[in-house]
Amino acid sequence: MWEELRWSTGRTDAVLRSAQRRVLWQHIIESSPQRHHLLQPAAVANRAMDAWDNLHAFNLPIFPAGVFLNEDARAFRGWADAYRRRCVEDEWLDEAQLPAILARAVNDIPVRGARKVLLVGFDEPTPVARALAEALNGIGVEVVWQSPPRAVGRAIQAPFHDANAELLAAARWARRCLERDSACSIGIVVPGVSSQRVLVQDVFANVLTPLSLVKVPDGKQDVFSIAAGEPLTDQPLVAHALLILSLARERLPAIDAGALLRSPYLRGATAEAPARALLDAALRRRRDREIGIGAMLAEGKHAGGEGVADLLHGLGALQGRARALPAKQRAPDWARACSVLLKDAGWPGCRTLTSVEYQVLSAWRDVLADFVSLDGVTGAINFGTALRHLRRLAAERAFQPQTPEAPIQILDLAGAADMGFDHLWVTGMHEDAWPPTAQPNPFLPLPLQREAGMPRASAEAELARARRVTDSLLAACTDVVMSWPQQEGDTVLRPSPLIRTLDEEQPPLAEDARWVASVFSARRVSTFVDDAGPALAAGTEVRGGAALFKSQAACPFRAFAKHRLRADALEEVDVGLDAMERGTLVHSVLQQVWLTLGSQAELLKLSEAGIGALVDAVVEKIVGAAAQRRPQVFTMRFAAMERQRLGTLAREWLAEECRRAPFTVTGCEASRPFRLGGIAGQLRTDRIDTLPDGRQVILDYKTGHVPAKPWEGDRPEEPQLPLYAVTGAEPLAAVAFARVVRGEGAFKGIAAEPDLLPGVKSAAAWDELLAGWRGVLLNLAAQFERGHAQVDPRNGNVTCRNCDLHPFCRVHELGVAPEMDDGTDGDSHES
């Protein structure tokens, strides 16, 4: 009608698209005096648009005389005036104004085609919609508000334990209906289905199409469809396109960078997949929170570019194109630039896209078209602003693949009563959700909303609307089930008052046909114990050193997985430094201090000021080197805090070292080969001190928790020092942990005689102790050699706390629930 009016009257104003409206409202709000008080201008713009639409839908001015305006309403009036002026200046027309304009100008609009219009599914037509209908009736076009036919049947209410049980029952009920009549149509109403789409998809697929969970669909018609779109940004093809564009402008968070490197939508993805995964792992080991194109290219070239030639070519082209981008340009130019950037990067890849992916690609092009339409509103913008608009447009576009009509439709409440199903199940009908609570618009005076009868304005209006919808649902077909959960978390729920008059009974359900249940019921079980892998070949050198023995003692499967299968988790990047990195810095500082001093005698020669100067110089060097490696972490403020922490720890610990008997430091972070039984490898210790009589004291720095009994039993918690003790050639006087903790520094260990280390007791039989350690370690070595790999955590869930192998070993099947890591053990040195 609008296009006909423009042609017949010569009007030149254009109707704003939805994206243009939102950007214009947001720009006005962000330019207003209230901008400093708003945390989310985009969300405020959406509510302001709702207020504007409601006022026009109910033919109300902004605002009627005599209406009290609070601060929010006054702010909205100012925004609305600015919006109206901008529309007049640029000859724009808001779509909310169209019905009233057309109703007034209906006599000037040539009427073509049919002279009867049916309006179906309108819950409560607005005044402006009724006015337009009346105007059309006045020129001979019959407008009929069509009500759906009312069915006469039986409806029941059905309680279930919780929402999950309710969904499962609905799926089994739908399966039974189909089994009885394959030609029937079934509606499943799930309020807010968009926010539960993944759960709903899993439950119904498990019951109705279990094979789809383990097999790629073969193109046959789906049994059910979910009438709720997902944000286009949830589609991997578009999500990865936005990551590419973001990478062209700035560094990406490490997890996003990894996802992009492994993306199937880049040229050469299939052929280079293993090498790209290894590149992702290598970048994670850098432990940078953010990764840019430069880092990706440098790491890829460092590996010789082997296996990632296509990736490096695409990244190089992307980097070159990004550097040539102008500072500002208009939306159409940015749309072309984004398409070229994506092409340079090799998006959307070489393989043939699936039908759904082609639809996603088409939707992305529509987003670009919407973005181009912003030109008249935004003018020239920079790349960052262009990307923000693109992300918002993609996030706001609901995407749902086009599929053949399915017999089971899963949908939201809106319009469900008008769909004409043979069977209907409505979930979530408890009193806390139905009728819904009132949610008046904060920018409109509440009395005005209630007097006009605007939606969501009052509890009375919501109750009346809920009654109309409930009556329509109950009359939608001859077989209706209204279900509700009896519990949500710890909250006990009751049925909605609008369904309490219905008979309560359980609807007939199909047998539990979930995939897991079906497989389990058809099982033929053979039980055997599988706790051993192949024996280690003679003379094989394995990586890990003391860590191997520690893993074998903690859990044999852990040792086999980590040191035979090399099952290592990817590095996880966190803000700042983790406990391991903080401990490593302490190790480095103390190593450099003792490399400088060499002996306790040199330490004792220094004054307190001299010790402080030495420590400060070493700390400055260590923190400076760390800052070069991790510039994103070591900001000026963080580096200052770290220098203070390390300096305090080092000075306190050196004071503890002054209390010892004389010694010379003969090894710092020293590494040497060892062999025990059939296990050969490298062993590194934090420090070796030599006493005047030639005997050695072996120290292991600890910046966190030290076990109460680290070396007792057949499965010692900390076997590193015993391993060094029994494989060394030099005479040994003591082994100890050097616990470097602020205010709690101390030696914890055992010695051949008293007073060798402050607070360390002597062993009653030193040689027997060493012999016992040797026997324990030889036994652990023999277990590892013969492939003993039983899932047997030493201390149950405590042992599993810091392990990353849970999906591999399936320890939960033993009834072990791993505890969360308390983050107290910051030691990193186990070789």
Side-chain angles (χ1 to χ4, degrees):
M1 290 176 66
W2 169 249
E3 292 301 325
E4 293 286 357
L5 179 62
R6 291 186 68 193
W7 280 108
S8 63
T9 61
R11 295 187 61 150
T12 59
D13 40 355
V15 178
L16 285 172
R17 300 173 73 158
S18 177
Q20 294 172 309
R21 293 179 71 216
R22 181 190 57 76
V23 171
L24 184 54
W25 273 102
Q26 186 171 340
H27 173 73
I28 289 171
I29 290 170
E30 290 177 342
S31 303
S32 69
Q34 294 84 15
R35 65 185 182 276
H36 302 297
H37 307 291
L38 304 175
L39 296 177
Q40 296 180 311
V44 173
N46 289 335
R47 297 307 300 271
M49 284 193 295
D50 288 341
W52 171 273
D53 291 346
N54 281 335
L55 288 172
H56 284 82
F58 286 83
N59 280 325
L60 295 173
I62 309 174
F63 286 103
V67 175
F68 171 76
L69 302 182
N70 61 17
E71 186 178 355
D72 290 338
R74 289 194 298 272
F76 170 74
R77 182 171 60 182
W79 302 335
D81 288 342
Y83 181 73
R84 187 189 293 111
R85 287 194 302 272
R86 180 70 187 275
C87 288
V88 171
E89 291 170 1
D90 293 315
E91 294 187 314
W92 293 330
L93 190 65
D94 188 284
E95 59 187 10
Q97 299 170 309
L98 272 183
I101 291 174
L102 296 174
R104 290 194 298 268
V106 70
N107 291 319
D108 298 326
I109 303 174
V111 178
R112 307 179 190 276
R115 302 189 64 84
K116 182 175 183 178
V117 178
L118 294 179
L119 300 176
V120 183
F122 288 79
D123 174 41
E124 187 65 24
T126 62
V128 73
R130 289 193 178 280
L132 179 57
E134 292 171 4
L136 288 172
N137 282 327
I139 61 170
V141 178
E142 183 183 2
V143 180
V144 179
W145 302 91
Q146 181 72 47
S147 298
R150 296 182 66 86
V152 178
R154 185 165 181 268
I156 62 172
Q157 61 158 308
F160 294 93
H161 175 66
D162 56 21
N164 288 343
E166 184 184 17
L167 271 181
L168 177 59
R172 292 173 58 190
W173 173 81
R175 182 182 180 109
R176 183 178 185 276
C177 292
L178 274 184
E179 288 172 346
R180 297 183 64 183
D181 180 7
S182 61
C184 70
S185 61
I186 303 166
I188 308 291
V189 175
V190 181
V193 65
S194 296
S195 61
Q196 306 178 65
R197 184 184 179 96
V198 174
L199 173 63
V200 172
Q201 174 74 33
D202 287 347
V203 170
F204 277 79
N206 216 326
V207 172
L208 297 166
T209 57
L211 196 59
S212 68
L213 301 177
V214 294
K215 180 182 178 183
V216 177
D218 55 9
K220 294 181 180 178
Q221 177 179 339
D222 289 331
V223 177
F224 69 93
S225 67
I226 302 176
E230 299 175 282
L232 189 60
T233 48
D234 287 354
Q235 298 299 316
L237 183 65
V238 170
H240 291 187
L242 290 171
L243 287 179
I244 293 169
L245 296 177
S246 297
L247 183 64
R249 176 178 176 266
E250 59 193 359
R251 291 189 296 264
L252 295 179
I255 191 169
D256 289 340
L260 184 56
L261 288 173
R262 303 189 309 275
S263 171
Y265 303 112
L266 295 178
R267 186 186 301 112
T270 302
E272 295 183 357
R276 293 184 186 188
L278 291 175
L279 176 58
D280 176 27
L283 285 167
R284 286 171 182 255
R285 285 193 291 270
R286 295 164 60 118
R287 302 188 67 82
D288 290 332
R289 283 183 299 158
E290 296 179 334
I291 297 172
I293 297 181
M296 292 181 182
L297 289 171
E299 193 66 41
K301 292 174 182 176
H302 177 71
E306 185 176 353
V308 290
D310 280 343
L311 176 68
L312 295 182
H313 179 269
L315 290 175
L318 180 66
Q319 185 182 52
R321 186 80 62 176
R323 287 173 174 170
L325 291 175
K328 285 188 175 184
Q329 57 184 349
R330 304 186 75 89
D333 299 318
W334 279 124
R336 285 190 290 272
C338 288
S339 296
V340 172
L341 287 169
L342 292 174
K343 183 179 179 181
D344 286 343
W347 183 90
C350 301
R351 68 174 176 82
T352 302
L353 299 179
T354 66
S355 172
V356 172
E357 288 170 337
Y358 269 119
Q359 294 178 52
V360 172
L361 186 60
S362 177
W364 169 252
R365 290 169 179 156
D366 292 340
V367 166
L368 286 177
D370 283 344
F371 172 68
V372 169
S373 74
L374 300 182
D375 182 40
V377 179
T378 61
I381 53 178
N382 60 34
F383 192 20
T385 302
L387 274 181
R388 285 196 295 274
H389 287 312
L390 270 176
R391 288 194 195 101
R392 172 61 69 89
L393 291 170
E396 291 179 344
R397 178 173 288 269
F399 174 77
Q400 184 170 6
Q402 297 177 2
T403 56
E405 185 174 350
I408 300 173
Q409 297 286 326
I410 304 171
L411 65 164
D412 213 328
L413 269 170
D418 305 310
M419 296 290 287
F421 295 113
D422 297 319
H423 309 275
L424 181 64
W425 181 305
V426 184
T427 67
M429 291 287 105
H430 61 87
E431 64 178 359
D432 290 355
W434 193 251
T437 57
Q439 292 183 355
N441 191 295
F443 294 119
L444 300 180
L446 186 56
L448 179 67
Q449 296 183 65
R450 290 178 173 174
E451 183 179 348
M454 290 184 184
R456 312 303 299 269
S458 67
E460 294 80 7
E462 284 304 286
L463 176 59
R465 185 180 73 88
R467 278 203 177 101
R468 291 194 301 271
V469 173
T470 303
D471 291 344
S472 298
L473 290 170
L474 292 174
C477 65
T478 58
D479 182 19
V480 180
V481 178
M482 295 277 188
S483 66
W484 52 280
Q486 296 173 308
Q487 191 169 335
E488 183 177 349
D490 295 331
T491 303
V492 176
L493 303 175
R494 296 189 299 174
S496 165
L498 301 180
I499 67 168
R500 286 178 187 167
T501 58
L502 301 178
D503 293 337
E504 181 180 316
E505 63 179 74
Q506 288 296 310
L509 308 179
E511 292 186 7
D512 192 345
R514 286 175 291 172
W515 178 257
V516 172
S518 299
V519 171
F520 190 73
S521 63
R523 69 193 182 279
R524 288 181 295 180
V525 179
S526 299
T527 302
F528 62 95
V529 177
D530 180 22
D531 61 2
L536 190 67
T540 303
E541 184 169 326
V542 293
R543 68 169 188 167
L548 184 157
F549 287 85
K550 184 173 182 177
S551 295
Q552 187 72 30
C555 176
F557 182 84
R558 182 189 298 182
F560 186 83
K562 285 188 172 294
H563 302 283
R564 294 284 298 277
L565 304 181
R566 301 199 174 186
D568 294 323
L570 291 173
E571 293 281 352
E572 292 187 8
V573 180
D574 204 350
V575 176
L577 301 176
D578 60 21
M580 179 182 293
E581 291 172 308
R582 291 195 300 271
T584 299
L585 288 176
V586 174
H587 283 236
S588 299
V589 168
L590 294 177
Q591 177 189 9
Q592 288 300 314
V593 166
W594 284 112
L595 286 175
T596 302
L597 292 172
S599 68
Q600 186 199 48
E602 293 299 318
L603 172 64
L604 295 175
K605 290 178 183 179
L606 296 176
S607 64
E608 184 176 344
I611 293 175
L614 171 63
V615 168
D616 289 343
V618 169
V619 167
E620 185 66 35
K621 177 181 177 182
I622 296 300
V623 172
Q628 287 186 332
R629 294 191 304 271
R630 305 282 302 280
Q632 297 175 30
V633 172
F634 282 86
T635 61
M636 183 179 298
R637 177 59 179 157
F638 184 84
M641 294 170 60
E642 197 61 16
R643 282 192 293 268
Q644 181 180 2
R645 181 185 76 91
L646 293 171
T648 300
L649 283 173
R651 281 188 286 269
E652 287 186 2
W653 181 249
L654 290 176
E656 187 71 16
E657 298 271 21
C658 290
R659 300 172 52 210
R660 290 178 53 186
F663 64 89
T664 300
V665 177
T666 53
C668 284
E669 305 294 335
S671 180
R672 65 167 173 81
F674 81 96
R675 176 174 293 277
L676 188 66
I679 304 296
Q682 292 290 319
L683 186 64
R684 184 178 62 186
T685 190
D686 293 341
R687 206 170 102 201
I688 304 171
D689 294 349
T690 301
L691 303 180
D693 61 6
R695 291 182 299 167
Q696 290 185 341
V697 174
I698 310 301
L699 298 179
D700 184 18
Y701 293 126
K702 287 286 183 181
T703 56
H705 172 69
V706 174
K709 299 178 179 180
W711 305 314
E712 292 190 4
D714 294 333
R715 301 170 68 178
E717 289 188 58
E718 298 286 349
Q720 180 178 1
L721 290 176
L723 181 62
Y724 202 98
V726 303
T727 58
E730 303 298 328
L732 190 65
V735 294
F737 294 119
R739 189 164 185 263
V740 186
V741 178
R742 187 169 182 177
E744 300 177 17
F747 292 99
K748 293 193 175 183
I750 194 162
E753 58 193 58
D755 302 324
L756 286 179
L757 292 171
V760 173
K761 298 179 179 179
S762 61
W766 180 250
D767 291 338
E768 292 180 11
L769 175 67
L770 296 181
W773 284 349
R774 175 177 287 276
V776 167
L777 294 169
L778 282 171
N779 183 50
L780 292 174
Q783 292 179 12
F784 185 81
E785 282 183 79
R786 64 175 181 262
H788 179 55
Q790 182 181 3
V791 178
D792 181 21
R794 178 183 53 234
N795 296 325
N797 54 8
V798 176
T799 300
C800 296
R801 181 178 60 192
N802 296 322
C803 183
D804 49 38
L805 297 172
H806 304 157
F808 193 5
C809 69
R810 308 197 309 276
V811 68
H812 59 277
E813 295 180 14
L814 300 179
V816 175
E819 291 183 352
M820 296 300 292
D821 184 4
D822 60 9
T824 58
D825 192 349
D827 300 292
S828 62
H829 283 51
E830 283 188 0
S831 172

